[in-house]
Amino acid sequence: MASPLPSSAPVKYIFVTGGVASSLGKGILSSALGRLLEAHGLRVTIQKFDPYINVDAGTMNPYEHGEVYVTDDGAETDLDLGHYERFLGVPMSQANNVTTGRVYSGVIAKERAGAYLGKTVQVVPHVIDEIKGWMRRLAETGDYDVIITEIGGTAGDIESLPYLEAIRQHSLEAGRANTCLIHLTLIPYLAAAGELKTKPTQHSVKMLQSYGLQPDVLVCRAEHPLPPDVRRKIALFCNVEPEAVIEARDAESIYEVPLLLREQSLDEVVMERLRLEDQVMDDLAEGLDDWVEFLRRQKNPEGQVKIALVGKYVAHQDAYKSISESFLLAAAAHRVQVEVVLVLSDEVTSDNVAEQLDGCSGILVAPGFGDRGIAGKIQAVRYARENGIPFLGICLGMQVAVIEYARHVCGWPDAHSTEFDADSPHPVIALMEEQKGITDKGGTMRLGQYECRLTEGTRARAIYGEDTVWERHRHRYEVNNALRYKLREGGLVFSGLNPDQDLVEIIELPESGDGPTHPWFMGVQFHPEYKSTVQRPHPLFVAFVEAALAQARAEGSLTAPKEPTRMRRVRRASARVLADG
Ligand code: GLN
């Protein structure tokens, strides 16, 4: 996409910090604002700084930090990058997620190389300079007009101080007209007093001011509307313009947030601050057409279908974030709701599998590591395969499907993955050649996007409608090519292969033929959930939901949508956007 700005225009920087409490939704705010700026024709990307010492999120347990997201270039990142991509529809990269660990390893590597020429290496200036270097890196590509930078954690935490100092210095260097600081804060409601309280926000802003930072915009999360006098008070005491105090009420869906912020002109306030007012579109509706259409579909479902997600991290609501969002996006494409039924794999046995998966018109077996819950996952695959229930296995879920097939169809009861049984006589899943000898855990898997060629005449080929696709990976084990022939003889179809290394990327069972058949049975070694956006819900998820819908219709289990259609606020918001552009 070409920039609408003159080639000499400086890159604009928006920083988003959080105050008072964590989990206020800086990631969604950044994504929603980014989407609005895109609608004004600007080229936008979003970067996140995480103040922890891990070099990346790859070594963190999903219970600790939710899902690990993976980009095209193989970065293992915070799950907020998933929101950025789903909202903006542009790919993120390693440069979009930087941690304190990465900053320090850069500084230490330079120190070892002698790059500091004998100086004493210190937080100020060296660590701050390294952070500023990462702030400029995306700008230097020339691909963006605006870079939104989200600072993880809460302002005032010891570990986020270097980032605040870097913002201060960077704003001076880039020019005040080219930077905008947005502070996301909480205005609690004290029921006993019947009042909204602004004091925590005032303190949080004072703290920022003590570091030389003055927020330009305050976005206030509140459970009740902010009356004009409260807004004025916040503006006066926090030293911001009254129109730059933006109210962020809870939304029914995160995808409504761009429209709700637009209602309060957050986009225009920010663009004015950044001297981008000439770029404000008279008719914003056009730039948000697809978004409003998507919301209409999401908010007016014609029925509900249940799909089981079988995994071992189901207790953490964010552990399978991209999978649940992919279902939501694919469901909207069909104008239905998907209720994701979380099934803890550890608890699934041959005795209770029918009960655990009762009422589900599709079964997804999730990615994962380690052998806890494997037996339950195998039971779930078997149940889907034998009962003709649409099935999708992702990464470990696909590997388990191959193990199940080898055991129960090909007649190798001892078949396993060497991840779980190093001595299995039939290791149908085995460590990849290039993984042998690797002992470090961080950043050493097969990561990022790889080519996948689709076999003519297969379901995979029909779903994608093209013969070559690129998908993102995060694994060490693979289908063992030495035993592939036996699985193929047993009727398993390898419908996607990586041409460079001859690795199996997709398995499926045919719908018809002489051998074993199934209405919709697929497994993928890669992660389609990382490439699902509002603009383009992933074709595999769209096809899977379609198969589950067909199953539900055939069984009469398609139910009414869970909540009555509640489109009021969005209708109001979208109507206003459509009306005044
Ligand atoms: N544990 C498996 C492997 O390393 C699967 C990984 C995954 O599901 N992401 O190959």
Side-chain angles (χ1 to χ4, degrees):
M1 188 175 116
S3 171
L5 306 175
S7 60
S8 58
V11 173
K12 305 288 182 175
Y13 296 89
I14 298 168
F15 294 97
V16 178
T17 55
V20 178
S22 58
S23 306
L24 293 182
K26 290 188 299 282
I28 302 300
L29 168 63
S30 304
S31 305
L33 174 60
R35 184 62 190 83
L36 287 177
L37 297 178
E38 267 190 353
H40 286 283
L42 296 164
R43 301 171 310 159
V44 183
T45 192
I46 311 177
Q47 178 180 46
K48 180 165 192 196
F49 285 103
D50 274 310
Y52 47 71
I53 310 285
N54 303 61
V55 171
D56 59 39
T59 53
M60 286 189 216
N61 185 321
Y63 278 128
E64 229 8 80
H65 202 67
E67 161 192 279
V68 177
Y69 193 74
V70 178
T71 56
D72 282 344
D73 64 348
E76 296 177 279
T77 76
D78 183 81
L79 55 80
D80 270 335
L81 273 81
H83 292 306
Y84 305 165
E85 286 198 344
R86 285 186 288 271
F87 274 66
L88 299 188
V90 297
M92 300 290 138
S93 68
Q94 181 63 71
N96 293 74
N97 190 196
V98 181
T99 68
T100 293
R102 187 168 296 274
V103 168
Y104 271 81
S105 40
V107 170
I108 291 169
K110 282 184 195 153
E111 185 277 330
R112 291 289 83 185
Y116 296 114
L117 305 175
K119 290 264 189 255
T120 306
V121 181
Q122 294 176 297
V123 174
V124 183
H126 303 103
V127 167
I128 307 295
D129 284 349
E130 187 77 12
I131 294 174
K132 288 194 291 176
W134 280 107
M135 287 176 174
R136 287 190 299 264
R137 195 151 311 188
L138 288 164
E140 285 160 3
T141 62
D143 293 337
Y144 309 104
D145 304 312
V146 180
I147 294 163
I148 301 177
T149 299
E150 176 191 346
I151 308 295
T154 308
D157 296 346
I158 292 175
E159 56 262 46
S160 41
L161 291 185
Y163 296 98
L164 300 184
E165 171 62 8
I167 295 175
R168 190 191 66 77
Q169 292 188 15
H170 178 85
S171 304
L172 262 185
E173 289 162 1
R176 291 294 293 140
N178 299 324
T179 55
C180 175
L181 176 59
I182 301 180
H183 192 52
L184 175 62
T185 177
L186 176 70
I187 308 289
Y189 178 76
L190 284 196
E195 271 179 42
L196 285 161
K197 291 295 183 189
T198 65
K199 197 66 65 95
T201 294
Q202 295 180 42
H203 282 300
S204 170
V205 169
K206 284 224 161 63
M207 198 277 311
L208 282 178
Q209 288 165 340
S210 73
Y211 296 120
L213 293 177
Q214 170 61 54
D216 299 293
V217 179
L218 289 175
V219 177
C220 305
R221 283 294 297 270
E223 283 169 12
H224 295 269
L226 292 184
D229 60 320
V230 173
R231 220 179 258 247
R232 272 195 303 276
K233 185 170 160 190
I234 296 172
L236 188 64
F237 293 142
C238 297
N239 201 28
V240 298
E241 306 285 340
E243 61 273 18
V245 177
I246 307 285
E247 170 190 311
R249 299 274 301 283
D250 293 346
E252 248 174 58
S253 149
I254 55 172
Y255 298 98
E256 286 171 48
V257 177
L259 300 189
L260 298 174
L261 294 173
R262 164 68 192 152
E263 262 197 313
Q264 302 187 56
S265 309
L266 173 68
D267 48 339
E268 291 186 26
V269 169
V270 168
M271 289 171 78
E272 223 165 274
R273 172 80 192 84
L274 292 171
R275 314 283 191 275
L276 287 170
E277 56 271 30
D278 291 348
Q279 192 53 39
V280 171
M281 289 280 158
D282 291 337
D283 183 11
L284 194 64
E286 211 173 294
L288 287 172
D289 256 1
D290 60 340
W291 200 268
V292 173
E293 176 55 24
F294 159 75
L295 276 174
R296 282 208 179 100
R297 290 169 162 275
Q298 191 203 357
K299 292 290 193 165
N300 291 299
E302 284 158 3
Q304 192 200 55
V305 57
K306 284 194 173 70
I307 298 184
L309 191 168
V310 184
K312 71 171 176 172
Y313 305 115
V314 290
H316 190 296
Q317 63 165 357
D318 284 342
Y320 301 110
K321 192 73 187 166
S322 292
I323 293 179
S324 48
E325 294 305 306
S326 295
F327 273 128
L328 194 150
L329 302 175
H334 293 291
R335 233 179 227 283
V336 293
Q337 248 174 15
V338 168
E339 185 190 335
V340 178
V341 179
L342 299 171
V343 177
L344 180 61
S345 48
D346 314 34
E347 288 175 356
V348 180
T349 65
S350 56
D351 291 337
N352 70 14
V353 62
E355 191 190 326
Q356 293 254 3
L357 299 172
D358 184 41
C360 293
S361 306
I363 297 171
L364 182 143
V365 174
F369 297 85
D371 64 1
R372 179 165 69 79
I374 293 297
K377 287 184 171 176
I378 293 176
Q379 290 302 334
V381 177
R382 184 174 196 172
Y383 183 80
R385 186 179 55 75
E386 292 183 345
N387 294 287
I389 300 170
F391 169 83
L392 177 61
I394 298 183
C395 206
L396 179 62
M398 174 265 209
Q399 297 175 356
V400 167
V402 171
I403 295 166
E404 193 281 324
Y405 203 80
R407 287 188 184 181
H408 304 126
V409 181
C410 301
W412 283 338
D414 50 14
H416 221 323
S417 162
T418 56
E419 183 177 1
F420 315 119
D421 177 4
D423 303 320
S424 166
H426 294 103
V428 285
I429 306 293
L431 198 59
M432 299 171 65
E433 206 46 47
E434 70 208 40
Q435 286 289 326
K436 293 182 179 155
I438 293 180
T439 52
D440 273 4
K441 293 280 183 263
T444 55
M445 281 187 253
R446 180 177 183 236
L447 290 166
Q449 78 170 358
Y450 286 92
E451 186 175 352
C452 171
R453 295 253 170 91
L454 304 171
T455 315
E456 210 50 59
T458 60
R459 186 184 296 113
R461 176 70 182 72
I463 288 173
Y464 279 100
E466 42 196 335
D467 51 25
T468 300
V469 293
W470 292 78
E471 294 282 3
R472 297 181 188 172
H473 297 71
R474 183 171 187 255
H475 63 116
R476 293 186 202 282
Y477 294 82
E478 56 159 329
V479 174
N480 187 346
N481 281 343
L483 300 179
R484 205 157 103 187
Y485 72 94
K486 176 77 179 180
L487 297 162
R488 189 182 297 121
E489 275 174 18
L492 198 61
V493 174
F494 300 104
S495 49
L497 295 174
N498 171 265
D500 300 325
Q501 291 172 287
D502 191 31
L503 300 179
V504 171
E505 300 282 12
I506 310 181
I507 62 156
E508 62 183 73
L509 285 176
E511 222 168 316
S512 57
D514 301 333
T517 59
H518 191 283
W520 208 97
F521 188 95
M522 308 211 53
V524 289
Q525 184 59 76
F526 51 80
H527 292 262
E529 71 274 23
Y530 296 145
K531 279 192 122 174
S532 214
T533 66
V534 169
Q535 286 169 329
R536 179 190 175 269
H538 196 287
L540 275 171
F541 274 91
V542 174
F544 182 38
V545 170
E546 189 178 339
L549 263 175
Q551 170 81 9
R553 286 203 176 101
E555 282 190 341
S557 64
L558 190 69
T559 54
K562 207 171 196 172
E563 286 165 281
T565 307
R566 284 199 287 139
M567 184 69 181
R568 286 187 311 274
R569 279 175 60 187
V570 174
R571 251 199 218 112
R572 186 156 50 80
S574 358
R576 212 159 302 173
V577 169
L578 291 167
D580 45 64

